[in-house]
Each structure stands twice: as structure tokens, then as C-alpha cells.
Amino acid sequence: MNCFGLTDPGKTRTENQDSFLIENCEKASCVILALCDGMGGANAGGLASQLSCKAFVNYVYNHLTNYSNRPSDYPRIMREACEEANGVAFAYSQFGDNLTGMGTTMVAAIMRRNGSGYVLNVGDSRAYFLHRRVLRQISKDHSLVEELLDAGIITPDQAVHHPQKNVITRALGSESLVEADIFPVSLTPGDSLLLCSDGLSNIVPEEEITAVLVDSADAESACRDLLDLALSRGAPDNVSMIVWKR
């Protein structure tokens, strides 16, 4: 398994509200990946991010290693894990005024060693797939800008610098129920999967992300090079990424 992750507070934020987990599940011959980007004042966003990340990965791992369940039904397990993570974050948001409104995005994946798997996302943290030197976004942003794009109200160029670019329409912890999108993915040798927060995707163009993934020898060097790029551009937000290379 060639997988690595990094997170950094960036150049201007004093707190890092991003979190990620990578869990190798030997029994199911797969790896579980999750990355969250928290939102909310004080420590609320970071708490939502950490709680949701752990709850999701723990749920998936426990079900994949329990023979009483059907581990082949990954989409079902991932949806249930997302509901669990959302429930945990939402419950904590009720504990005090300082936690009201806390929430987090999530992008996650279960990848088998043969390269097949599934990607889940809620919010605007993204999943990218590199195949034959071509980068494609797997996930679909749950954001106001994406809705404006879909409606034809703005152009892709306008979306890049839209003043409401960071307004998301779905998040874990904000409501008692949340809907996640799930996408199948299949990587062949030489392909890469990238999960990242908007601290990377908002500041490093896709053509530069592509070049790093193509040129990097392994997942760790890809992550370090991507982080260096974000930091060199000023990194106004927390920056997090996970790379899985086949």
C-alpha cells in the first residue's frame, strides 16, 4: 500500500480545523481513508472534524472486520458510517452555545488492494482521480457556487473567484440528517487518488496538482510537494491531503 497524508494550519490560521485518518484493514484487504474540514467558532470546527473522522473510520473498520455483516456492500457501510459521524457531531453541537453551528465537510474512501473502491463526500472537500496523466474530479461540491454553475448563472471562470465560494450547502453536524454522495472508482497501476480540503484545491490549480501526482515517486513525496505548493501561494486556509497511489 502506497498511501500518505498531511495536514498543516497554513500561513494565516492559528488553528488547524482539518483532520484526516488512514486505517489499514488487513482482514478486508483494504484501506479506509477519511479527511474532514471543520467549520465553527473557537474549537468547534476542529472538534467536529476530529469526531466525524474518527466515528466514520471506526464504524467502517468495525463492520469490515465483523463476519456477521456483509463487507462487500461498501456503499451501504459507508452511508451508515456517515450517518454515525453526522449523529456524533450533531449531538455535540447541542452541548453548549460555544458549539452551536459547528460542522465539517468530509471526503472519504474505501480502497481495495486491487484498485477498486468507493469515494464518499459531503461538502466541498474533494476527491480527484489521476489516470493516464489526466486528472478528474470524482466528488461533486455541495456548495452555493456549484449550484450556480449547474444552473448556468455563472461560468467556471467566475466560480474560481466568486465571493461566496466557501458557502457550502451540506455538512456533517449541522442538521440531524445529512445526505452523502458515493462514487465507484477503479485505479490501475500508475493511477492516483487524491483526497483534499479546499485549502489545497482553492489555491493550487488542477494542472499543477496533475504535474505533482505524475512526477512524484510515491504518495509521501506527492503530499509534501502539494503542501509546499500551497504554502508557497500563501496558504490562507488549513491545507490537508491524502494520496493513494497504485
Side-chain angles (χ1 to χ4, degrees), residues 116-145:
S116 65
Y118 292 89
V119 167
L120 172 147
N121 85 289
V122 175
D124 62 355
S125 292
R126 292 181 176 178
Y128 290 97
F129 169 45
L130 180 79
H131 176 64
R132 293 182 178 175
R133 296 176 173 261
V134 176
L135 190 71
R136 178 173 64 87
Q137 183 179 334
I138 301 171
S139 58
K140 186 175 178 65
D141 293 353
H142 303 136
S143 67
L144 176 61
V145 164

Side-chain angles (χ1 to χ4, degrees), residues 35-58:
L35 185 150
C36 292
D37 180 355
M39 59 186 189
N43 296 320
L47 180 61
S49 173
Q50 293 173 27
L51 289 171
S52 298
C53 218
K54 290 178 181 177
F56 181 89
V57 171
N58 286 343

Side-chain angles (χ1 to χ4, degrees), residues 36 48 52 82 85-86 89 102-106 122 170-174 178:
C36 292
S52 298
C82 187
N86 182 68
M102 80 178 203
T104 183
T105 69
M106 173 179 281
V122 175
R170 296 187 208 174
L172 299 180
S174 299
V178 68

